[in-house]
Amino acid sequence: MKITGWIMRPRETLTDQQEERLLEVRLACPDITRACDLARAFADLVCNRRGFFLLEWIRKPSKMPRTR
């Protein structure tokens, strides 16, 4: 549950220790890195009212390299 919280919270609200731990997890697991990037991109779409980029965001995972 901690990792999910770190991913979903804005970066500026993470402590230095949380940011460091999230980086360690991201480096250890490419799937979490992809999930984190996609979640943060989606949050940016919603928070900044950029719905016109939604189709591009939906297509993005298919363009990302597979990890397995």
Side-chain angles (χ1 to χ4, degrees):
M1 187 59 128
K2 285 183 185 180
I3 295 171
T4 303
W6 297 337
I7 291 171
M8 299 309 296
R9 288 175 40 204
R11 281 186 179 158
E12 61 271 8
T13 66
L14 297 176
T15 65
D16 290 341
Q17 183 180 11
Q18 291 169 333
E19 187 71 37
E20 185 177 316
R21 289 289 297 135
L22 180 58
L23 179 59
E24 290 172 6
V25 172
R26 288 175 57 112
L27 291 172
C29 183
D31 289 336
I32 290 179
T33 298
R34 290 178 68 196
C36 185
D37 292 345
L38 289 169
R40 288 184 170 169
F42 184 77
D44 181 65
L45 288 178
V46 173
C47 292
N48 295 301
R49 298 181 182 191
R50 296 181 178 156
F52 49 90
F53 287 124
L54 183 59
L55 286 177
E56 181 181 329
W57 180 86
I58 291 169
R59 292 182 186 117
K60 192 172 188 174
S62 64
K63 295 178 183 177
M64 297 175 99
R66 301 229 179 233
T67 57
R68 296 182 189 181

